[in-house]
Amino acid sequence: MWKFYKKWLLSVVLLLAACVGPQLHHGQLVALNLGMEPAQTVEKLGLPPLTTRRVIIDEKEYLFHQYTLNNGLGSEPYFLAFENNQLRYWGYVDDFRRHPDSRLNRAINVILPGLSKT
């Protein structure tokens, strides 16, 4: 009987892990630097983004990579923003909303409704 429960528990754990999907951890973020190209960030993080979205605000184009960041207590959406094919800023949604560049604030708000649920 124990073998059955052991297999069942393993199946449940694997199923839950698959639902959560790949996640970033804080230790990976130290590899990011301003000015990196999108492909460089994917290489350094070792993980492709869940989604990518482009948005144009006041004739400036931004590319956003969405990830899930496990902060130790849970998982939250985390974003990398590129301008002119260079990493400009990264953080949680609230970090973007506090950024002094109003275009970047508006850009994150434009893409939020269409992003994958994490």
Side-chain angles (χ1 to χ4, degrees), residues 8-33:
W8 179 82
L9 183 60
L10 179 60
S11 297
V12 170
V13 168
L14 291 175
L15 180 62
L16 289 175
C19 292
V20 171
Q23 297 181 3
L24 292 178
H25 294 86
H26 280 283
Q28 291 169 277
L29 300 177
V30 298
L32 298 177
N33 290 301

Side-chain angles (χ1 to χ4, degrees), residues 16-71:
L16 289 175
C19 292
V20 171
Q23 297 181 3
L24 292 178
H25 294 86
H26 280 283
Q28 291 169 277
L29 300 177
V30 298
L32 298 177
N33 290 301
L34 287 174
M36 294 176 85
E37 294 180 356
Q40 290 175 303
T41 63
V42 172
E43 179 184 336
K44 291 290 186 181
L45 294 173
L47 191 65
L50 295 171
T51 63
T52 60
R53 289 281 310 269
R54 292 188 186 277
V55 64
I56 298 174
I57 302 289
D58 298 337
E59 300 181 13
K60 286 205 178 255
E61 182 176 341
Y62 296 94
L63 170 67
F64 286 89
H65 283 187
Q66 178 190 5
Y67 288 91
T68 300
L69 179 67
N70 185 322
N71 62 17

